[in-house]
Amino acid sequence: MKKIKLSLETSFWAIDEIENPFQLINAFFNYCTVDSYKNTLSEIMLYVYKAEVCNKERPGDVFDFHTAVKSFIRGAYLLTFKAKKWRVKKTPEEWHIISQASLNKEEYEDPFLVFEKAFECKTLEEYEFFLNENCSRIAFTLQRGI
């Protein structure tokens, strides 16, 4: 099988260039919290079609978000090619649905399923196009100085 080589492009937001997708996922969640990523994404989406500037005080946050999420998407894509499945070794005695967030039991036990399902719906290029299109609209608004 041909080995897929894809740059994870982590040099803008991580300390080093990361090549291992497992290390990238770890660095991504150490860089910001899930709530922070959700809030930033929500804020960006609110400003995509507005003539107002998103986050006037720190407009570079949009760039940081864009580069980190782009790296995450690329890392997730590479994880779909891992042949060996990683599974949760021991499931909790009492199953609390809240502790597994929006994952079902199968996805919680085999996190690779989440990435496989995501890339069955859309290709890597489609995810990156969506991310680039929306963040470039924000950048264009910033450039115009509105």
Side-chain angles (χ1 to χ4, degrees):
M1 182 177 187
K2 185 178 165 184
K3 188 173 182 176
I4 295 178
K5 188 70 175 162
L6 179 68
S7 172
L8 299 176
E9 299 181 7
T10 59
S11 59
F12 289 109
W13 61 274
I15 295 171
D16 303 319
E17 185 64 37
I18 301 170
E19 294 181 8
N20 182 320
F22 290 106
Q23 291 174 348
L24 177 129
I25 301 294
N26 188 41
F28 180 80
F29 288 112
N30 285 331
Y31 183 67
C32 281
T33 64
V34 173
D35 287 339
S36 176
Y37 285 121
K38 284 181 182 179
N39 291 339
T40 304
L41 179 60
S42 295
E43 188 175 355
I44 288 171
M45 295 312 293
L46 288 173
Y47 283 88
V48 166
Y49 293 104
K50 291 184 178 182
E52 301 170 42
V53 174
C54 174
N55 199 351
K56 289 180 185 179
E57 295 80 34
R58 295 189 341 246
D61 287 354
V62 174
F63 178 75
D64 290 341
F65 174 82
H66 174 268
T67 55
V69 171
K70 183 177 181 181
S71 296
F72 179 83
I73 292 169
R74 287 173 167 228
Y77 179 73
L78 290 177
L79 286 176
T80 63
F81 295 101
K82 295 291 182 185
K84 181 183 173 193
K85 299 288 186 181
W86 177 82
R87 296 182 65 83
V88 174
K89 291 182 176 131
K90 184 179 176 191
T91 57
E93 299 273 333
E94 292 182 30
W95 201 263
H96 297 287
I97 194 82
I98 193 92
S99 67
Q100 66 190 59
S102 58
L103 303 176
N104 63 35
K105 187 174 181 176
E106 289 175 338
E107 292 168 341
Y108 181 80
E109 291 177 347
D110 184 3
F112 285 92
L113 287 176
V114 176
F115 300 127
E116 288 172 9
K117 288 178 182 179
F119 289 102
E120 285 173 2
C121 296
K122 303 243 185 258
T123 65
L124 173 64
E125 292 77 20
E126 289 172 319
Y127 281 115
E128 287 186 348
F129 178 80
F130 174 80
L131 184 64
N132 291 337
E133 179 182 32
N134 291 308
C135 286
S136 65
R137 285 189 180 138
I138 298 293
F140 181 71
T141 304
L142 287 170
Q143 193 176 31
R144 288 191 336 216
I146 295 176

